[in-house]
Amino acid sequence: MTKRVLVVEDNELNLKLFCDLLRAHDFAAEPVRDGREAVAKARDFAPDLVVMDIQMPHVSGLDLIREMKGDSRLRAIPIMAVTAYSGRDDEERIRAAGANAYVSKPISLARFMDEVRALVPDSAPAPQG
């Protein structure tokens, strides 16, 4: 069964990169460009993982993480924060909001996929041989 990832990112190039990368690794990726739509889309799409930008217009990714973790229907979904914030205090603040993982921009494609696989059970490729 294909695992589903909701990608919340206001930057069009990053959104396309994340979705294309996930799809190339056999995930169903659902883009959300406006953070104000993220919670409703998460309820409708029922993702196995949420990839969340932190710096967005209109609403902070931190606020969205807190809102999702406070929602009984969404709290069990792991959230991977992806952000240009890269200081130690930033990571602690993001994790304290409820993020399960943290990847700083610019991202390493391999690290991004390693984190996705770590957060989504049964999504690792089958061993060869």
Side-chain angles (χ1 to χ4, degrees), residues 50-112:
V50 175
V51 173
M52 178 74 67
D53 184 21
I54 298 300
Q55 290 178 275
M56 293 184 289
H58 311 297
V59 62
S60 159
L62 289 175
D63 291 338
L64 290 172
I65 291 169
R66 288 183 195 107
E67 187 174 347
M68 288 182 181
K69 291 301 181 177
D71 185 308
S72 62
R73 291 171 50 198
L74 303 176
R75 75 171 46 115
I77 300 169
I79 298 174
M80 181 172 81
V82 181
T83 182
Y85 293 134
S86 60
R88 179 121 183 102
D89 292 344
D90 295 319
E91 182 174 356
E92 288 174 9
R93 199 166 39 92
I94 290 166
R95 288 187 181 274
N100 303 85
Y102 167 92
V103 176
S104 61
K105 294 177 187 174
I107 67 162
S108 152
L109 301 182
R111 177 153 186 259
F112 179 89

